[in-house]
Amino acid sequence: MVPAALVVVLCLGVKFPPTERVASGYSAGSMFRELRKPLFIVLFCSMFLTAASELAPGQWMDFALTRTVGMRGILLLVYVSG
């Protein structure tokens, strides 16, 4: 909590620059209107499916490695990554 409080105190007097949206002159309404465009919907659905396909094998990895290696599979992943 002390480092977080220190960061808040240090940021109290700082004037942050405008966001890219404000600097470009786009309104918040125009940004939300982009959500209804068909290309955005297609890209959102494809990214959702990509994320789902990456999550499922990640959940199986510990179980599969535990059965194969004979020790906790996640420990093997931590060892190899380290």
Side-chain angles (χ1 to χ4, degrees), residues 18-73:
T19 62
E20 188 174 343
R21 177 189 63 82
V22 173
S24 299
Y26 289 104
S27 68
S30 67
M31 297 291 284
F32 284 111
R33 278 192 294 277
E34 293 293 322
L35 297 175
R36 295 183 294 191
K37 292 194 174 183
L39 181 61
F40 178 83
I41 294 169
V42 168
L43 290 176
F44 179 81
C45 291
S46 63
M47 287 304 298
F48 181 79
L49 292 173
T50 302
S53 68
E54 289 177 2
L55 282 175
Q59 293 175 350
W60 302 333
M61 190 64 67
D62 182 35
F63 178 71
L65 283 175
T66 300
R67 288 184 50 184
T68 305
V69 178
M71 60 182 267
R72 292 279 302 167

Side-chain angles (χ1 to χ4, degrees), residues 2-16:
V2 173
L6 183 62
V7 168
V8 169
V9 169
L10 290 174
C11 289
L12 284 178
V14 176
K15 177 162 176 28
F16 292 98

